[in-house]
Amino acid sequence: ASRREETSEKTETKRETAAETKRETEASKNTTPAAAPTEAVADATRSAVVAYAKQFVGNPYVFGGNSLTNGTDCSGFTRGVYAHFGISLPRTSRSQAGAGRSISVGDLQPGDLIFYANGGSIYHVAMYIGGGQIIHAIDESHGIGISGLNTGRVYCAVSLLLYAAVQNIVCPSLRGLCL
């Protein structure tokens, strides 16, 4: 009787295993593959950076300022937003243009930085937020706000998130050059 019970238990275990395998196979047929993890992380990071930056719209512009709530200038704004995510940027817009990886305006993604120049001298930085728009500390009359991207005046652009989100670290060796 014990041998019959043992054989019966083995047969039942095989049936359960076969049924479980069949359920798993059927379930895998009914699901769509997930986006590549690195792509999902990069998109989530970009969205988080933009969402964080947007909460300061309407706050004051102060030349040389560093406070996202009490007043900042353009480079203080981008520096402060990225500092929240553990990414260090130099203080001036001209210096920030050398951080990250140089990209073309056609490759802009939310969170990338855009630099404006006059006669080759960088004077302003803004953050691309998608949809042809930028967020930046505009001037004393407008404070921090959202504007349309004026591509005709863009001197260069850099991405700080191109590899940082994928590696989940800030990589100081990612240095790009503008024009």
Side-chain angles (χ1 to χ4, degrees), residues 9-94:
E9 285 177 17
K10 285 181 182 178
T11 303
E12 185 62 30
T13 302
K14 285 181 183 178
R15 283 187 198 141
E16 288 173 1
T17 303
E20 189 175 317
T21 302
K22 185 177 179 182
R23 282 192 302 273
E24 288 173 357
T25 303
E26 289 301 315
S28 69
K29 288 179 184 175
N30 296 328
T31 60
T32 55
T38 54
E39 208 174 290
V41 169
D43 289 346
T45 302
R46 289 179 181 285
S47 295
V49 168
V50 169
Y52 182 72
K54 283 182 173 181
Q55 72 180 332
F56 302 106
V57 168
N59 288 352
Y61 174 99
V62 173
F63 181 77
N66 287 305
S67 172
L68 296 174
T69 52
N70 297 321
T72 186
D73 60 14
C74 63
S75 57
F77 176 69
T78 53
R79 183 178 189 209
V81 168
Y82 272 103
H84 179 77
F85 293 91
I87 297 175
S88 297
L89 285 174
R91 178 62 186 97
T92 67
S93 56
R94 189 173 297 120

Side-chain angles (χ1 to χ4, degrees), residues 125-146:
V125 59
M127 179 185 295
Y128 185 68
I129 60 171
Q133 294 186 309
I134 57 173
I135 187 169
H136 53 143
I138 304 168
D139 58 28
E140 289 175 357
S141 299
H142 299 94
I144 297 171
I146 295 174

